[in-house]
Amino acid sequence: MSNTKVQIFAGSIMVFLLQNFIFGQNYLVGFSKESINPNSTILSSPLAGFGDPKQGRFSISFQEAGIAQNAVAMCSSDTKFYMATSDNKLWQADINAGTPNWVSMGMAYYVTALAYGNGKLYGTDKYNKLWMRNADENDSPWTNIGSAYETTGLTLLNNKLYGTKKNNTLWVRDTSPSNIPWKNIGKANSVRSLTNDGTHLIALSKYDNDLWTRGTSSSNESWSKIGTPNRTTYGSYLSNITYVNNKLYATSNKNKLYYSQHSQSPIYAYASYFEKNSKKALIITLDLCGINYSFSHKVKTEIKNLYNIDEDAILINCSHTHYAPVSQNYSCLQDFYHNPDPKYLDIVKNSVLTATQNAINNKTESNLSFVKGKTNIGYNRADISKDLDNNITMVIAKQSTTNMTNGVILSASTHPVWYNQPRDFVSISSNYVGATRDKLGILKNINNVQLMQGWAGDINPYKTDTPDQTANKLTQDFSNLFALSSSPVTGEITVKLDSIAVPLNNFSFNRAVNIKKANTGKYDQVSERNVRWANNIIHQYTSGTLSKSATIYIQILKIGDWNIVALSREAVSQYAIDLYNHYNPLKLTVLGYSNDVSSYLPVQWHIKKTIPNYEGYESFFIYGQSGIPVNNVEDIILAKIYSMMQ
């Protein structure tokens, strides 16, 4: 072979090797996001993040829809409103006509409640009689079909009439046009009006204007609150309710008609997908306050089955906004916080699956680079003299062919608790986490901005800053990172997920009994919470189910030499400070609120403070925990992380 041919061949080999080296540093990366806002099939959602106020925070709000003059009772079919008025008249109006145009359809004497079903109207009157007539436009006669003593609310569900009485009881009977007896099926306190959504009863209470719901599958089911006046999105003026087409309609003592909707701005499930040499990883961030492990495990299992991503390679992180629907169990708070709505969790799960699929479909060959900086948006609320995690990190994904930025993944330790206006306190939102994503995306013209939550258990934003001001500061700090020199991310994808059982210093049986005694008979929110907690602990002792350790999940996700360390629960700043110091040369991002958020995770100084503080003491009552981690909890967890990082 001639020297020229040898040189050409050698040059080809070098080009080939160089191309393969460059290609070897690339990843297939895809981004996507999907809404996780509750839809119209969910009437109202309690909002997580605060135990106060005692009456709760709910997403339901009411918008004016027209006039309902002198209404004393109301019901609806799929297409019509029916209204009885104080002058003994019966009216109807088309539901889909915008502002309702009420048309007279006869008389309705001394009505106390109305219901519709199967082309018939049912009504009760002040003389304790039950009546029925055709629901047509003609002045059809009413026929007496039985008795209905002191009825305050009436609705028809599954061909049965349900009625509430002044003596705070709930009754049911068939719709048969004969005088058949009513059956008592439980309590219904101070109901002013009754309707249903096709599966559950919905009641409006007389004195406080709260909204309640319960099922009908068995007698004596408990009622759960789904709405309360907050003087901002929901006032103390409702008098009659009816449910149709996924909306609750209400008349008011101001002679107006209202319809319900969620008070909300967008919240999302974000997905970022990474693939290299057949190894895959997925990072999900949810605009939720927290999730239970049972839910994250269920979601990961479905992702694995659908998209063949190993469960250990799926990280689910929560933004910890305090303005999202309840998505985890709070057994010691008010009853409406005890369990999340299964319908809402299905919305979240399906949105995660869709975002995952779209992120995979959107994957492009990309270069990744890492950069780290600082921010100054808050303080250590547990002790202002203590340090806090003020580190921020950013990974930039650029398409290999165009060098255009197609996504950034941010991390910061924030605690989204502040709000601007009273409306914000009772509205679904991602707070300044979402505002930061939006502002940075606009500023840098980037479509995909994902922000992961760090170890913010003892961090609060500055009290002098509004959420928008905090978002502006954080946006600017992330924007400044683009001007710094970033380091290429290189290497293979590796993952680890493990757990550790941290011993607890359990609250004693006698301590629980004494706490119960000290709080029984008091009706403030904290006292009632403490009684619920004490009852739970006493039951655990007597049933032999007391937990003596806390399971902490630790996930190590290495996308090349970008190291992500994710802890479950609400970890405090010191964990992050120690890890960033220990692994200072590494490309490192630390995350809390991942895979399971079932308590705070303090360090020794929180636990041993002379005056018990929230992070190291009171929070465990809110989360319904049986004890506080041992003093050396930080050493135990860090040792496990160090072992897993090897």
Side-chain angles (χ1 to χ4, degrees):
M1 183 182 294
S2 68
N3 288 338
T4 301
K5 289 183 178 180
V6 169
Q7 290 172 348
I8 292 173
F9 178 76
S12 299
I13 291 294
M14 288 298 295
V15 170
F16 174 80
L17 292 174
L18 181 61
Q19 286 176 337
N20 276 272
F21 173 78
I22 295 173
F23 178 78
Q25 305 313 312
N26 292 346
Y27 300 83
L28 293 174
V29 182
F31 299 94
S32 185
K33 69 176 182 180
E34 287 291 321
S35 169
I36 55 171
N37 287 83
N39 57 32
S40 60
T41 65
I42 296 175
L43 179 58
S44 179
S45 294
L47 304 187
F50 299 99
D52 295 321
K54 179 181 175 181
Q55 62 268 30
R57 299 180 300 136
F58 298 89
S59 65
I60 191 170
S61 66
F62 287 92
Q63 303 295 316
E64 190 174 330
I67 301 298
Q69 194 75 29
N70 300 322
V72 294
M74 182 173 65
C75 64
S76 57
S77 67
D78 290 340
T79 59
K80 300 281 188 181
F81 292 119
Y82 301 97
M83 178 177 66
T85 53
S86 58
D87 57 359
N88 295 327
K89 292 183 179 179
L90 185 66
W91 306 80
Q92 68 172 7
D94 291 336
I95 290 176
N96 297 319
T99 302
N101 178 32
W102 295 100
V103 177
S104 175
M105 55 184 301
M107 306 302 290
Y109 293 100
Y110 307 112
V111 168
T112 60
L114 275 180
Y116 170 88
N118 302 321
K120 305 289 185 181
L121 287 175
Y122 300 84
T124 58
D125 66 18
K126 71 176 185 178
Y127 300 112
N128 299 324
K129 292 183 178 181
L130 177 65
W131 301 84
M132 181 183 72
R133 61 157 281 179
N134 290 328
D136 53 35
E137 296 182 6
N138 300 319
D139 188 4
S140 298
W142 290 90
T143 302
N144 179 232
I145 61 170
S147 300
Y149 291 98
E150 297 184 328
T151 302
T152 60
L154 190 69
T155 193
L156 191 145
L157 174 62
N158 297 329
N159 292 316
K160 294 183 181 295
L161 283 169
Y162 292 85
T164 54
K165 293 178 64 174
K166 284 185 178 180
N167 68 352
N168 296 333
T169 52
L170 176 67
W171 299 76
V172 64
R173 59 155 280 178
D174 292 334
T175 57
S176 172
S178 58
N179 190 9
I180 60 175
W182 292 82
K183 178 184 177 183
N184 187 330
I185 59 168
K187 294 184 178 298
N189 293 331
S190 302
V191 171
R192 170 178 286 179
S193 185
L194 189 68
T195 187
N196 72 86
D197 63 3
T199 58
H200 287 73
L201 301 175
I202 303 170
L204 173 69
S205 59
K206 181 177 181 180
Y207 299 110
D208 51 22
N209 244 215
D210 287 342
L211 288 166
W212 301 80
T213 186
R214 63 155 276 181
T216 60
S217 58
S218 64
S219 297
N220 287 309
E221 286 195 28
S222 60
W223 291 87
S224 181
K225 188 190 289 188
I226 57 172
T228 191
N230 55 47
R231 300 183 181 181
T232 303
T233 63
Y234 179 159
S236 301
Y237 46 68
L238 306 183
S239 53
N240 303 282
I241 56 173
T242 187
Y243 185 93
V244 59
N245 300 335
N246 292 329
K247 288 182 181 179
L248 186 70
Y249 289 87
T251 64
S252 76
N253 54 18
K254 300 177 181 179
N255 295 323
K256 292 181 179 180
L257 180 70
Y258 297 85
Y259 67 89
S260 70
Q261 63 181 21
H262 293 285
S263 178
Q264 61 183 341
S265 56
I267 57 175
Y268 293 102
Y270 283 78
S272 56
Y273 173 78
F274 305 87
E275 182 180 335
K276 183 173 183 179
N277 296 335
S278 299
K279 299 291 186 180
K280 305 171 183 178
L282 180 70
I283 300 174
I284 301 292
T285 57
L286 301 173
D287 283 332
L288 297 175
C289 193
I291 53 176
N292 293 125
Y293 180 77
S294 57
F295 177 71
S296 67
H297 179 68
K298 177 181 178 180
V299 171
K300 290 183 180 187
T301 300
E302 293 206 27
I303 291 174
K304 179 181 180 180
N305 292 337
L306 288 170
Y307 308 114
N308 194 30
I309 304 173
D310 187 75
E311 291 180 31
D312 291 356
I314 304 168
L315 192 160
I316 303 180
N317 175 260
C318 296
S319 71
H320 198 54
T321 175
H322 285 45
Y323 306 93
V326 167
S327 51
Q328 62 191 117
N329 305 91
Y330 295 99
S331 61
C332 296
L333 293 180
Q334 300 91 311
D335 65 339
F336 41 83
Y337 291 131
H338 288 182
N339 297 290
D341 185 341
K343 290 194 296 184
Y344 181 66
L345 291 185
D346 279 343
I347 289 174
V348 176
K349 181 197 72 174
N350 292 333
S351 292
V352 169
L353 296 179
T354 301
T356 298
Q357 182 180 43
N358 290 339
I360 294 171
N361 293 342
N362 294 337
K363 66 185 180 185
T364 60
E365 189 176 311
S366 303
N367 299 310
L368 300 176
S369 60
F370 175 92
V371 61
K372 180 182 174 186
K374 300 286 185 179
T375 189
N376 181 20
I377 59 169
Y379 64 99
N380 193 311
R381 70 187 189 189
D383 187 337
I384 197 169
S385 69
K386 297 287 187 179
D387 291 334
L388 75 163
D389 177 25
N390 60 0
N391 295 284
I392 57 174
T393 70
M394 179 169 68
V395 167
I396 306 167
K398 292 186 176 182
Q399 292 185 5
S400 301
T401 54
T402 64
N403 205 38
M404 296 290 293
T405 300
N406 62 324
V408 294
I409 305 121
L410 317 173
S411 80
S413 291
T414 69
H415 214 115
V417 293
W418 270 197
Y419 59 93
N420 274 333
Q421 304 294 332
R423 176 178 290 271
D424 299 333
F425 189 61
V426 291
S427 296
I428 295 171
S429 80
S430 54
N431 206 248
Y432 54 77
V433 171
T436 299
R437 294 186 306 235
D438 294 342
K439 290 173 183 289
L440 188 67
I442 293 171
L443 182 66
K444 295 298 182 180
N445 193 27
I446 300 173
N447 290 329
N448 302 294
V449 179
Q450 185 170 350
L451 177 53
M452 305 182 296
Q453 182 61 269
W455 294 347
D458 53 2
I459 295 175
N460 263 16
Y462 289 120
K463 294 180 180 179
T464 55
D465 289 346
T466 66
D468 200 55
Q469 288 172 321
T470 300
N472 286 337
K473 288 182 178 181
L474 195 53
T475 300
Q476 187 58 56
D477 292 334
F478 279 120
S479 178
N480 293 339
L481 296 186
F482 284 89
L484 301 180
S485 176
S486 60
S487 301
V489 173
T490 62
E492 301 299 317
I493 295 173
T494 59
V495 298
K496 292 181 182 179
L497 177 63
D498 205 345
S499 64
I500 185 170
V502 173
L504 296 177
N505 286 319
N506 289 113
F507 297 97
S508 69
F509 178 84
N510 288 338
R511 180 75 178 279
V513 170
N514 289 336
I515 287 176
K516 180 176 180 178
K517 287 180 179 178
N519 289 274
T520 298
K522 300 177 183 178
Y523 300 101
D524 61 283
Q525 188 271 331
V526 172
S527 296
E528 290 182 350
R529 177 203 72 192
N530 289 346
V531 170
R532 295 187 197 100
W533 173 87
N535 285 334
N536 285 349
I537 299 303
I538 291 169
H539 172 73
Q540 290 175 33
Y541 269 107
T542 56
S543 63
T545 58
L546 186 78
S547 177
K548 297 183 179 180
S549 64
T551 301
I552 312 298
Y553 298 95
I554 303 172
Q555 190 168 12
I556 309 292
L557 195 61
K558 295 185 178 183
I559 299 173
D561 55 356
W562 174 31
N563 299 267
I564 303 172
V565 178
L567 277 180
S568 62
R569 309 197 181 217
E570 294 200 51
V572 297
S573 293
Q574 192 61 50
Y575 290 96
I577 294 169
D578 289 345
L579 275 188
Y580 278 125
N581 288 337
H582 186 82
Y583 291 112
N584 186 41
L586 295 186
K587 303 179 183 75
L588 178 67
T589 296
V590 300
L591 305 176
Y593 307 92
S594 298
N595 302 315
D596 176 63
V597 185
S598 50
S599 79
Y600 270 74
L601 197 56
V603 294
Q604 181 169 315
W605 70 260
H606 297 87
I607 299 169
K608 297 192 72 173
K609 285 190 74 171
T610 304
I611 300 175
N613 67 335
Y614 180 77
E615 293 79 10
Y617 177 74
E618 187 182 0
S619 67
F620 293 92
F621 291 84
I622 289 178
Y623 275 109
Q625 300 294 293
S626 61
I628 297 173
V630 291
N631 291 346
N632 65 332
V633 55
E634 183 185 11
D635 295 335
I636 295 172
I637 290 174
L638 290 181
K640 181 68 173 179
I641 292 174
Y642 296 154
S643 173
M644 291 176 66
M645 283 286 284
Q646 293 178 359

Coordinates of all heavy atoms in Angstrom, one line a residue, residues 490-538:
T490 N -20.8 14.0 30.5 CA -20.3 12.9 29.7 C -20.4 11.6 30.5 O -20.4 11.7 31.8 CB -18.9 13.1 29.3 OG1 -18.0 13.1 30.4 CG2 -18.7 14.3 28.5
G491 N -20.6 10.5 29.8 CA -20.6 9.2 30.5 C -21.9 8.5 30.4 O -22.9 9.0 29.8
E492 N -21.9 7.3 31.0 CA -23.1 6.4 30.9 C -24.1 6.8 32.0 O -23.9 7.5 32.9 CB -22.6 5.0 31.1 CG -21.6 4.5 30.1 CD -22.1 4.5 28.7 OE1 -23.3 4.1 28.5 OE2 -21.4 5.0 27.8
I493 N -25.3 6.2 31.8 CA -26.4 6.4 32.7 C -26.4 5.3 33.7 O -26.5 4.1 33.3 CB -27.8 6.5 32.0 CG1 -27.9 7.8 31.1 CG2 -28.9 6.5 33.0 CD1 -29.1 7.8 30.2
T494 N -26.4 5.6 35.0 CA -26.5 4.5 36.0 C -27.5 5.0 37.1 O -27.6 6.2 37.3 CB -25.1 4.3 36.7 OG1 -24.6 5.5 37.3 CG2 -24.1 3.8 35.7
V495 N -28.1 4.1 37.7 CA -29.2 4.4 38.7 C -29.1 3.5 39.9 O -28.7 2.3 39.8 CB -30.6 4.3 38.1 CG1 -30.7 5.3 36.9 CG2 -30.9 2.9 37.6
K496 N -29.5 4.0 41.0 CA -29.7 3.2 42.3 C -30.8 3.8 43.0 O -31.0 5.0 43.1 CB -28.4 3.3 43.1 CG -27.2 2.6 42.6 CD -26.0 2.8 43.5 CE -24.7 2.1 42.9 NZ -23.6 2.3 43.9
L497 N -31.6 2.9 43.6 CA -32.7 3.3 44.5 C -32.7 2.3 45.7 O -32.7 1.1 45.5 CB -34.1 3.2 43.8 CG -35.3 3.5 44.6 CD1 -35.3 5.0 45.2 CD2 -36.6 3.3 43.9
D498 N -32.7 2.9 46.9 CA -32.6 2.0 48.0 C -33.4 2.8 49.2 O -33.8 3.9 49.0 CB -31.2 1.8 48.5 CG -31.0 0.5 49.3 OD1 -32.0 -0.1 49.7 OD2 -29.9 0.0 49.4
S499 N -33.5 2.1 50.3 CA -34.2 2.7 51.4 C -33.4 2.4 52.7 O -32.6 1.4 52.7 CB -35.6 2.2 51.5 OG -35.7 0.8 51.8
I500 N -33.7 3.2 53.7 CA -33.0 2.9 55.0 C -34.1 3.2 56.1 O -34.9 4.1 56.0 CB -31.8 3.9 55.2 CG1 -31.1 3.5 56.5 CG2 -32.2 5.3 55.1 CD1 -29.7 4.2 56.6
A501 N -34.1 2.3 57.1 CA -35.0 2.5 58.2 C -34.3 3.2 59.3 O -33.4 2.7 60.0 CB -35.4 1.1 58.7
V502 N -34.7 4.5 59.5 CA -34.1 5.4 60.5 C -34.9 5.1 61.8 O -36.1 5.3 61.9 CB -34.2 6.8 60.1 CG1 -33.8 7.7 61.3 CG2 -33.4 7.1 58.9
P503 N -34.2 4.8 62.9 CA -34.9 4.6 64.2 C -35.6 5.8 64.7 O -35.1 6.9 64.4 CB -33.8 4.2 65.1 CG -32.7 3.7 64.3 CD -32.8 4.5 63.0
L504 N -36.7 5.6 65.4 CA -37.5 6.7 65.9 C -37.4 6.7 67.4 O -37.4 5.7 68.1 CB -38.9 6.6 65.5 CG -39.3 6.7 64.0 CD1 -40.8 6.5 63.8 CD2 -38.8 8.1 63.4
N505 N -37.4 7.9 68.0 CA -37.7 8.1 69.4 C -39.2 8.2 69.5 O -39.8 9.3 69.3 CB -37.0 9.3 70.0 CG -35.5 9.1 70.2 OD1 -35.1 8.0 70.6 ND2 -34.7 10.1 69.8
N506 N -39.9 7.1 69.8 CA -41.4 7.1 69.8 C -42.0 8.0 71.0 O -41.4 8.0 72.1 CB -41.9 5.7 69.9 CG -41.7 4.9 68.7 OD1 -40.9 3.9 68.7 ND2 -42.3 5.2 67.6
F507 N -43.1 8.6 70.6 CA -43.9 9.2 71.7 C -44.5 8.0 72.5 O -45.0 7.1 72.0 CB -45.0 10.0 71.1 CG -44.5 11.2 70.3 CD1 -44.4 11.1 68.9 CD2 -44.2 12.4 70.9 CE1 -44.0 12.2 68.2 CE2 -43.8 13.5 70.2 CZ -43.6 13.4 68.8
S508 N -44.4 8.2 73.9 CA -44.8 7.1 74.7 C -46.4 7.0 74.7 O -47.1 8.0 74.4 CB -44.3 7.3 76.1 OG -45.0 8.4 76.7
F509 N -46.9 5.9 75.2 CA -48.3 5.7 75.3 C -48.9 6.7 76.3 O -49.9 7.4 76.0 CB -48.6 4.3 75.8 CG -50.1 4.0 76.0 CD1 -50.9 3.6 75.0 CD2 -50.6 4.1 77.3 CE1 -52.3 3.4 75.2 CE2 -52.0 3.9 77.5 CZ -52.8 3.5 76.4
N510 N -48.2 6.9 77.4 CA -48.7 7.9 78.4 C -48.7 9.3 77.9 O -49.5 10.1 78.2 CB -47.9 7.8 79.7 CG -48.2 6.5 80.5 OD1 -49.2 5.9 80.3 ND2 -47.2 6.1 81.3
R511 N -47.6 9.6 77.0 CA -47.6 10.9 76.4 C -48.8 11.2 75.5 O -49.4 12.2 75.5 CB -46.3 11.0 75.6 CG -46.1 12.4 74.9 CD -45.7 13.4 75.9 NE -45.4 14.7 75.3 CZ -44.3 15.0 74.6 NH1 -43.3 14.2 74.6 NH2 -44.2 16.2 74.1
A512 N -49.1 10.2 74.8 CA -50.3 10.3 73.9 C -51.6 10.5 74.7 O -52.4 11.3 74.3 CB -50.4 9.0 73.0
V513 N -51.7 9.7 75.7 CA -52.9 9.8 76.6 C -53.0 11.2 77.2 O -54.0 11.8 77.2 CB -52.9 8.7 77.7 CG1 -54.0 9.0 78.7 CG2 -53.1 7.4 77.1
N514 N -51.9 11.7 77.7 CA -51.8 13.1 78.3 C -52.1 14.2 77.3 O -52.8 15.1 77.6 CB -50.5 13.3 79.0 CG -50.3 12.5 80.2 OD1 -51.3 12.0 80.8 ND2 -49.1 12.2 80.6
I515 N -51.6 14.0 76.1 CA -51.9 15.0 75.0 C -53.4 15.0 74.7 O -54.0 16.0 74.5 CB -51.0 14.7 73.8 CG1 -49.6 15.1 74.1 CG2 -51.5 15.5 72.6 CD1 -48.6 14.8 73.0
K516 N -53.9 13.8 74.6 CA -55.4 13.7 74.4 C -56.2 14.4 75.4 O -57.1 15.2 75.2 CB -55.8 12.2 74.2 CG -57.3 12.1 73.9 CD -57.7 10.6 73.7 CE -59.2 10.5 73.4 NZ -59.6 9.1 73.2
K517 N -55.9 14.1 76.7 CA -56.6 14.7 77.8 C -56.5 16.3 77.8 O -57.4 17.0 78.0 CB -56.0 14.2 79.1 CG -56.4 12.8 79.4 CD -55.9 12.3 80.8 CE -56.3 10.9 81.1 NZ -55.7 10.5 82.4
A518 N -55.3 16.7 77.5 CA -55.0 18.2 77.5 C -55.7 18.9 76.4 O -56.0 20.1 76.5 CB -53.5 18.5 77.4
N519 N -56.1 18.2 75.3 CA -56.7 18.9 74.1 C -58.2 18.6 73.9 O -58.8 19.2 73.1 CB -55.9 18.5 72.9 CG -54.5 19.1 72.8 OD1 -54.4 20.3 72.4 ND2 -53.5 18.4 73.3
T520 N -58.7 17.6 74.6 CA -60.1 17.2 74.5 C -61.0 18.3 75.1 O -60.7 18.9 76.1 CB -60.4 15.9 75.3 OG1 -59.6 14.8 74.7 CG2 -61.9 15.5 75.2
G521 N -62.0 18.6 74.3 CA -62.9 19.7 74.7 C -62.6 21.0 74.2 O -63.3 22.0 74.4
K522 N -61.5 21.1 73.5 CA -61.1 22.3 72.8 C -61.4 22.2 71.3 O -61.2 21.1 70.8 CB -59.6 22.6 73.1 CG -59.2 22.8 74.5 CD -57.7 23.0 74.7 CE -57.3 23.1 76.1 NZ -55.9 23.3 76.3
Y523 N -61.8 23.2 70.7 CA -62.2 23.1 69.3 C -61.5 23.9 68.3 O -61.9 24.1 67.2 CB -63.7 23.4 69.3 CG -64.5 22.5 70.2 CD1 -65.0 22.9 71.4 CD2 -64.8 21.2 69.8 CE1 -65.7 22.1 72.2 CE2 -65.5 20.3 70.6 CZ -65.9 20.8 71.8 OH -66.6 19.9 72.7
D524 N -60.3 24.4 68.7 CA -59.4 25.0 67.7 C -58.7 24.0 66.9 O -58.7 22.8 67.3 CB -58.4 25.9 68.4 CG -57.5 25.1 69.4 OD1 -57.9 24.7 70.5 OD2 -56.3 24.8 69.0
Q525 N -58.2 24.3 65.8 CA -57.7 23.4 64.8 C -56.5 22.6 65.4 O -56.5 21.3 65.2 CB -57.2 24.1 63.5 CG -56.8 23.2 62.4 CD -55.4 22.8 62.4 OE1 -54.6 23.6 62.9 NE2 -55.1 21.6 61.9
V526 N -55.6 23.2 66.1 CA -54.5 22.5 66.7 C -54.9 21.5 67.7 O -54.4 20.3 67.7 CB -53.5 23.5 67.3 CG1 -52.3 22.8 68.0 CG2 -52.8 24.4 66.2
S527 N -55.8 21.8 68.6 CA -56.3 20.9 69.6 C -57.0 19.7 69.0 O -56.7 18.5 69.4 CB -57.2 21.6 70.6 OG -56.6 22.6 71.3
E528 N -57.8 19.9 68.0 CA -58.5 18.8 67.3 C -57.5 17.9 66.6 O -57.6 16.7 66.6 CB -59.5 19.4 66.4 CG -60.7 20.0 67.1 CD -61.8 20.5 66.1 OE1 -61.5 20.5 64.9 OE2 -62.9 20.8 66.6
R529 N -56.5 18.5 66.0 CA -55.4 17.8 65.4 C -54.7 16.9 66.4 O -54.4 15.7 66.1 CB -54.4 18.7 64.7 CG -53.2 18.0 64.0 CD -52.0 19.0 63.9 NE -51.4 19.2 65.2 CZ -50.5 20.2 65.5 NH1 -50.2 21.0 64.5 NH2 -50.0 20.4 66.7
N530 N -54.4 17.5 67.5 CA -53.6 16.7 68.6 C -54.5 15.5 69.1 O -53.9 14.5 69.4 CB -53.2 17.6 69.7 CG -52.1 18.6 69.3 OD1 -51.5 18.4 68.3 ND2 -51.9 19.6 70.1
V531 N -55.8 15.7 69.2 CA -56.6 14.6 69.6 C -56.6 13.5 68.6 O -56.5 12.3 68.9 CB -58.0 15.1 69.9 CG1 -59.0 13.9 70.1 CG2 -58.1 16.0 71.1
R532 N -56.7 13.9 67.3 CA -56.7 12.8 66.3 C -55.3 12.1 66.3 O -55.3 10.9 66.2 CB -56.9 13.5 64.9 CG -58.2 14.1 64.6 CD -58.4 14.6 63.2 NE -59.5 15.5 63.0 CZ -59.3 16.8 63.0 NH1 -58.1 17.3 63.0 NH2 -60.4 17.6 62.8
W533 N -54.3 12.8 66.5 CA -52.9 12.2 66.5 C -52.9 11.3 67.7 O -52.4 10.1 67.6 CB -51.9 13.3 66.6 CG -50.5 12.7 66.9 CD1 -49.6 12.3 65.9 CD2 -49.9 12.5 68.2 NE1 -48.5 11.8 66.5 CE2 -48.6 11.9 67.9 CE3 -50.3 12.7 69.5 CZ2 -47.7 11.5 68.9 CZ3 -49.4 12.3 70.5 CH2 -48.2 11.8 70.2
A534 N -53.3 11.7 68.9 CA -53.2 10.9 70.1 C -54.1 9.6 69.9 O -53.6 8.5 70.3 CB -53.7 11.7 71.3
N535 N -55.3 9.7 69.3 CA -56.1 8.6 69.1 C -55.4 7.6 68.2 O -55.4 6.3 68.4 CB -57.4 9.0 68.5 CG -58.4 9.6 69.5 OD1 -58.3 9.3 70.7 ND2 -59.3 10.4 69.0
N536 N -54.7 8.1 67.2 CA -53.9 7.2 66.3 C -52.8 6.5 67.0 O -52.6 5.2 66.8 CB -53.3 8.0 65.1 CG -54.4 8.4 64.1 OD1 -55.5 7.9 64.1 ND2 -54.0 9.3 63.2
I537 N -52.1 7.2 67.8 CA -50.9 6.6 68.5 C -51.4 5.6 69.6 O -50.9 4.5 69.7 CB -50.1 7.7 69.2 CG1 -49.5 8.6 68.1 CG2 -49.0 7.0 70.0 CD1 -48.7 8.0 67.1
I538 N -52.5 5.9 70.3 CA -53.1 5.0 71.3 C -53.5 3.7 70.6 O -53.3 2.6 71.1 CB -54.2 5.7 72.0 CG1 -53.7 6.8 72.9 CG2 -55.0 4.7 72.8 CD1 -54.8 7.7 73.5

